[in-house]
Amino acid sequence: MQEPSPALTTLAQNLRDAAQRKIFTVPLTTGHPRTIYVFSDPLCPHCRDIEPTLEAIGKKVNIEIFPVSLTGKKATADQVIPVLCASPEHRKALWHSLFDDPPLTPSASCDIGEKGLAVNDKAFSAYGFRGTPQLISDDGRPIPFSALKNEDTLSSFMNAEPQEKKDE
């Protein structure tokens, strides 16, 4: 069995640790052996499009959302900070309300929510992610959208051994 690269292992551990702190994430689903971490901006059209897919695959894997303000900047922050201010068990409903038409924007803001979003934005940039949504498996591999085609495709991807990138 091939060991994942140190970079992938570090990324996976950092995301796992951040999610366990319950400050930076919106836990959409829990109770499964595997986890997908998603960097998402609720004002990003592609993030909005992928929400139903996340709900569907969340029946088989944990989904942890790391909200970021890539697309909407201040408008996103105004929506996301109150979600991160809520208790972890209330965040899912608040997150979903951001995708309603029109969105229900929670009103409470707090210092920890602002700091949580700032940390997520900084991590997004530091990891070199280019756009949202960005999906990462619990072993640190980026998940291509093609892997979300159906349950079998996602299961095959999640259970495949990480491949080392070849030097070009």
Side-chain angles (χ1 to χ4, degrees):
M1 182 170 168
Q2 185 175 352
E3 289 295 316
S5 74
L8 291 181
T9 302
T10 299
L11 173 60
Q13 188 62 51
N14 289 348
L15 295 175
R16 187 172 19 263
D17 291 348
Q20 288 175 350
R21 292 186 61 197
K22 300 185 185 295
I23 296 171
F24 311 103
T25 63
V26 177
L28 288 189
T29 60
T30 60
H32 305 289
R34 301 296 304 270
T35 301
I36 294 175
Y37 303 103
V38 182
F39 285 82
S40 182
D41 180 329
L43 296 182
C44 155
H46 299 296
C47 298
R48 297 180 78 75
D49 291 345
I50 203 170
E51 276 296 308
T53 302
L54 295 177
E55 279 296 311
I57 64 177
K59 294 175 183 163
K60 300 282 184 178
V61 297
N62 303 322
I63 305 291
E64 286 279 349
I65 303 289
F66 284 84
V68 292
S69 60
L70 182 70
T71 303
K73 303 294 183 204
K74 181 171 176 359
T76 295
D78 290 344
Q79 289 186 3
V80 168
I81 289 169
V83 173
L84 293 176
C85 291
S87 63
E89 56 274 0
H90 292 104
R91 290 180 192 162
K92 177 181 178 178
L94 291 173
W95 179 258
H96 285 307
S97 72
L98 300 179
F99 295 92
D100 292 343
D101 192 22
L104 171 67
T105 303
S107 58
S109 189
C110 66
D111 188 51
I112 196 73
E114 290 176 22
K115 288 179 180 172
L117 181 60
V119 167
N120 288 352
D121 284 345
K122 186 178 269 187
F124 183 89
S125 178
Y127 291 132
F129 299 148
R130 296 177 186 253
T132 53
Q134 179 68 51
L135 287 74
I136 306 294
S137 67
D138 54 13
D139 59 13
R141 292 177 296 149
I143 300 174
F145 295 129
S146 61
L148 304 178
K149 185 169 52 174
N150 59 49
E151 268 185 43
D152 291 338
T153 307
L154 179 61
S155 179
S156 293
F157 176 85
M158 294 294 286
N159 294 317
E161 289 185 27
Q163 300 293 312
E164 292 295 322
K165 286 188 176 181
K166 304 284 184 213
D167 291 334
E168 295 177 6

